[in-house]
Amino acid sequence: MKHNPKGQKTLNIGFVMDPVEKLFYAEDTSISIMEEAQKRGHRIYYFEPHQLFFRNQNLHAHVRLVNASLANGVQVLSEKMFDLKKLDVVFNRKDPPFDLSYLYLTQMLEFLEPEVFVINSPRGLRKANEKLYIFEFARWIPPTIVSKNPFEIERFQKEKSFDLILKPLDQKGGAGIYLLPQNSKYRTRILSQATSMGTKWIMAQKFLKENVTKGDKRILLLNGKPLGQFRRIPKRGEFRSNLSLGGRTARASLTPREHHLIRSLRPQLLRDGLYFVGLDVIDGYLVEINVTSPAGIPEITELEGKHLESHVVDFLEAAALSR
Ligand SMILES: Nc1ncnc2c1ncn2[C@@H]1O[C@H](COP(=O)(O)OP(=O)(O)O)[C@@H](O)[C@H]1O
Ligand SMILES: [Mg+2]
């Protein structure tokens, strides 16, 4: 570890990401964290999962030393092959799908521990499927069933008499999600499509109507504590509030129930090494826990003028220095 002119330690921080060329960088949470870290003199190394390899039992990557900012995106300063043990922090920001390749990524990154601080912990990422993990906190979730069997889901719906939302377990951004109204004429077809003819596990959950009018709340947690939050309201004619589907943002505060929810998640999140997560909450009910690459920091800056990325970098510095 080197020191910058102010005598502070200079960290080498690696970011594992999807190709930056595809990002909308002006509103990207990873870029905002990179920019803040760089302002403090830390070096930012960026690489994609396919650039990772083992060589002589050490994990290497073709990395790019970059300059990153919300204003200008990512500029590559230099490229090199790098022994990842030389990093102080690896921030995994790879998006779903959580497929076999993602599983291998976590298994490889785990070799860097404990010398390198890997966030979120590879072990935690394997454990916490973003949809299934809510069952750890069952008292906070809407009525939910996970199955690949259309008949099982149909029975659940008939028993409960409510509309269902059907969600794949490995996706993000509202992808692959269906609404199944109670009396749908197309139930058989929708269930068959959503489960890929009974071959894919899905989560079927009570459709909370508040989502359409009031939206859901994205709550970012850092080290188990609330960092910031905002509401996402679906665009007209859409039932999903994801920003990638045209959802709009609005300011929000936390209700006492949400504070309670966060307090009850905290110990488990920390045990699982899930330090930076994004909860999706509708009307006080937990519907998803984003652990792979939660977003929302630039949105909160826009709504409230707060720069939450500085708390994230404080946390990375503290974690790296305590190693
Ligand atoms: N139980 C639910 N009731 C109503 N709307 C829901 C429910 N679950 C999810 N949604 C809507 O669908 C969106 C996407 O669902 P989510 O579980 O967050 O999956 P992902 O964001 O990974 O696609 C949510 O942001 C919310 O707008
Ligand atoms: Mg979500």
Side-chain angles (χ1 to χ4, degrees), residues 12-50:
N12 290 322
I13 307 180
F15 281 81
V16 192
M17 290 171 53
D18 292 298
V20 281
E21 303 81 50
K22 291 189 188 150
L23 292 179
F24 183 43
Y25 57 76
E27 287 180 11
D28 188 79
T29 295
S30 308
I31 305 278
S32 74
I33 297 169
M34 286 177 171
E35 181 173 10
E36 173 63 20
Q38 191 180 293
K39 276 190 200 150
R40 300 186 190 190
H42 304 312
R43 275 184 298 270
I44 310 300
Y45 295 94
Y46 151 86
F47 56 98
E48 295 163 25
H50 69 89

Side-chain angles (χ1 to χ4, degrees), residues 6-270:
K6 286 189 196 154
Q8 291 151 335
K9 306 248 190 223
T10 303
L11 301 178
N12 290 322
I13 307 180
F15 281 81
V16 192
M17 290 171 53
D18 292 298
V20 281
E21 303 81 50
K22 291 189 188 150
L23 292 179
F24 183 43
Y25 57 76
E27 287 180 11
D28 188 79
T29 295
S30 308
I31 305 278
S32 74
I33 297 169
M34 286 177 171
E35 181 173 10
E36 173 63 20
Q38 191 180 293
K39 276 190 200 150
R40 300 186 190 190
H42 304 312
R43 275 184 298 270
I44 310 300
Y45 295 94
Y46 151 86
F47 56 98
E48 295 163 25
H50 69 89
Q51 292 166 323
L52 204 64
F53 59 96
F54 269 106
R55 186 173 157 139
N56 300 333
Q57 294 139 22
N58 289 324
L59 194 58
H60 286 73
H62 286 288
V63 299
R64 282 172 266 179
L65 181 65
V66 297
N67 235 321
S69 69
L70 292 174
N72 300 312
V74 173
Q75 276 88 45
V76 177
L77 303 175
S78 63
E79 295 188 32
K80 57 178 157 186
M81 193 172 87
F82 201 77
D83 178 348
L84 296 184
K85 278 263 161 82
K86 289 196 235 157
L87 294 171
D88 300 292
V89 175
V90 167
F91 210 142
N92 175 42
R93 297 284 302 164
K94 170 86 183 80
D95 266 328
F98 199 96
D99 53 11
L100 198 50
S101 173
Y102 207 128
L103 172 71
Y104 295 150
L105 173 66
T106 67
Q107 289 169 338
M108 288 195 265
L109 292 178
E110 194 159 0
F111 279 92
L112 299 173
E113 293 180 326
E115 294 88 339
V116 181
F117 176 55
V118 185
I119 173 172
N120 281 321
S121 115
R123 181 178 46 82
L125 289 179
R126 286 197 297 277
K127 171 172 174 182
N129 173 279
E130 296 184 320
K131 302 295 181 302
L132 295 176
Y133 194 50
I134 62 167
F135 284 117
E136 290 271 349
F137 314 102
R139 62 169 287 208
W140 298 101
I141 72 174
T144 303
I145 182 172
V146 171
S147 172
K148 44 168 90 169
N149 183 345
F151 300 108
E152 204 67 63
I153 299 169
E154 185 174 344
R155 182 154 59 216
F156 177 73
Q157 184 168 41
K158 287 195 167 146
E159 227 173 81
K160 303 281 189 180
S161 302
F162 43 52
D163 298 345
L164 288 178
I165 185 165
L166 312 177
K167 310 190 259 191
L169 300 183
D170 58 350
Q171 287 292 343
K172 52 130 196 172
I177 295 186
Y178 295 79
L179 182 61
L180 180 60
Q182 233 187 111
N183 301 314
S184 175
K185 285 191 292 194
Y186 307 109
R187 184 193 279 119
T188 308
R189 195 191 299 170
I190 293 172
L191 282 173
S192 164
Q193 267 182 24
T195 61
S196 299
M197 311 223 301
T199 63
K200 250 181 51 186
W201 297 101
I202 61 167
M203 173 169 280
Q205 191 166 64
K206 178 179 184 181
F207 182 74
L208 302 168
K209 294 189 171 52
E210 291 77 4
N211 183 60
V212 177
T213 46
K214 297 191 200 138
D216 68 357
K217 204 176 283 178
R218 163 55 58 89
I219 305 174
L220 287 174
L221 303 183
L222 179 66
N223 203 17
K225 296 196 195 112
L227 180 68
Q229 67 284 325
F230 59 102
R231 275 190 306 132
R232 299 177 300 186
I233 299 137
K235 72 171 183 203
R236 195 192 292 260
E238 172 60 68
F239 62 93
R240 297 159 295 180
S241 63
N242 303 76
L243 302 182
S244 52
L245 298 172
R248 68 181 167 87
T249 61
R251 286 180 76 138
S253 51
L254 294 178
T255 64
R257 178 181 158 95
E258 287 161 345
H259 277 291
H260 189 184
L261 159 71
I262 293 164
R263 277 198 305 278
S264 63
L265 266 56
R266 181 162 195 243
Q268 185 70 50
L269 290 174
L270 298 187

